[in-house]
């Protein structure tokens, strides 16, 4: 298990979306996607709903006030961590069942170019935080 607990996973996985929201070049592409993404993460357990349109992040189940998702991803925290380091091909991971997708794969693939600059920042953040244990 790459993260020590749910709080640890939430901290790092939410930070990548916040980085995208805070970036003036990436933020408009995220909003334009029209996606509200629910991530059901395992090992450790975490539910995160990311509203790319309104640029908000909700953690917890549907009772948390999170908006209705129009795309779902089921994956392990390790797969999410490796994706944000540029080590996971989304189409291949979906085909192999490492990512369970509910929704249109082309919409998700269209966002991948926006992830590239965030991936570099994610690795730098892990290194700066002394989290070599998370770097793939």
């Amino acid at each position: 298990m790459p993260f020590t607990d749910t709080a640890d996973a939430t901290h790092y996985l939410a930070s990548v979306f916040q980085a995208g929201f805070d970036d003036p070049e990436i933020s408009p592409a995220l909003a334009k996607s029209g996606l509200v993404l629910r991530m059901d993460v395992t090992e450790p357990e975490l539910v995160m709903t990311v509203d790319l349109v309104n640029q908000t992040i909700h953690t917890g189940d549907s009772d948390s006030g999170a908006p209705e998702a129009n795309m779902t991803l089921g994956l392990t925290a390790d797969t999410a961590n490796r994706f944000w380091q540029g080590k996971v091909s989304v189409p291949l991971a979906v085909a192999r069942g490492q990512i369970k997708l509910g929704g249109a794969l082309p919409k998700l693939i269209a966002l991948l170019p926006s992830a590239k600059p965030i991936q570099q920042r994610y690795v730098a953040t892990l290194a700066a935080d002394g989290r070599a244990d998370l770097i793939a």
Side-chain angles (χ1 to χ4, degrees), residues 66-85:
E68 188 72 30
N70 56 20
M71 179 174 284
T72 59
L73 293 177
L75 68 167
T76 65
D78 182 54
T79 299
N81 177 53
R82 289 184 307 108
F83 168 77
W84 286 113
Q85 294 180 58

Side-chain angles (χ1 to χ4, degrees), residues 88-96 105 109 112:
V88 173
S89 161
V90 170
L92 198 56
V94 170
R96 290 181 174 162
L105 182 58
I109 290 173
L112 294 179

Side-chain angles (χ1 to χ4, degrees), residues 24-90:
E25 292 182 24
I26 297 170
S27 179
L30 298 178
K32 188 176 145 189
S33 74
L35 291 177
V36 177
L37 177 67
R38 177 183 162 120
M39 296 174 51
D40 293 305
V41 180
T42 59
E43 302 174 36
E45 304 297 317
L46 163 65
V47 175
M48 183 182 309
T49 303
V50 183
D51 182 343
L52 299 179
V53 178
N54 296 303
Q55 308 205 334
T56 58
I57 302 166
H58 302 267
T59 56
D61 60 24
S62 59
D63 295 336
S64 69
E68 188 72 30
N70 56 20
M71 179 174 284
T72 59
L73 293 177
L75 68 167
T76 65
D78 182 54
T79 299
N81 177 53
R82 289 184 307 108
F83 168 77
W84 286 113
Q85 294 180 58
K87 307 288 184 189
V88 173
S89 161
V90 170

